[in-house]
Amino acid sequence: VQFVESGGGLVQPGGSLRLSCVTSGFIFSNYAMSWYRQAPGKERELVARIISNGYRKSYHDSVQGRFTISRDNGKKTVYLQMNNLKTEDTAVYYCNLYDPARVGNTATSWGQGTQVTVSS
């Protein structure tokens, strides 16, 4: 199982970024997918989740209305569109599959993440 995140960068408050996560090693279309983030000195937190067919999505309260998760099952890729970014969104962003049958509800492997820095 592999996850390769990209699309991060340095952006000013109010700006936008679109993150991508290309996956391999599992049947992508069978799993819900999640985006997580980890800020310095903090635990990793769930940001957004999308079910396998893409019809249902959920978000952390702090990003509701600003972030949009989507997926392309043909490309085995999940996306995170981030608008109106705030300094508190600064973190390394990761994706992973969601599987309640697994320990921690995720695959044990993680990608390298993509750094998002929001600063003026």
Side-chain angles (χ1 to χ4, degrees), residues 58-97:
S58 58
Y59 300 92
H60 191 281
D61 286 347
S62 66
V63 308
Q64 181 77 44
R66 299 187 297 121
F67 290 11
T68 302
I69 189 171
S70 62
R71 64 189 294 157
D72 185 330
N73 285 351
K75 295 182 178 179
K76 302 180 181 180
T77 301
V78 60
Y79 304 96
L80 188 67
Q81 177 67 43
M82 306 187 296
N83 297 329
N84 191 21
L85 282 160
K86 304 178 179 181
T87 55
E88 52 264 41
D89 296 320
T90 295
V92 179
Y93 284 71
Y94 304 88
C95 72
N96 209 307
L97 58 84

Side-chain angles (χ1 to χ4, degrees), residues 22 24 46 76:
V22 178
S24 61
L46 176 65
K76 302 180 181 180

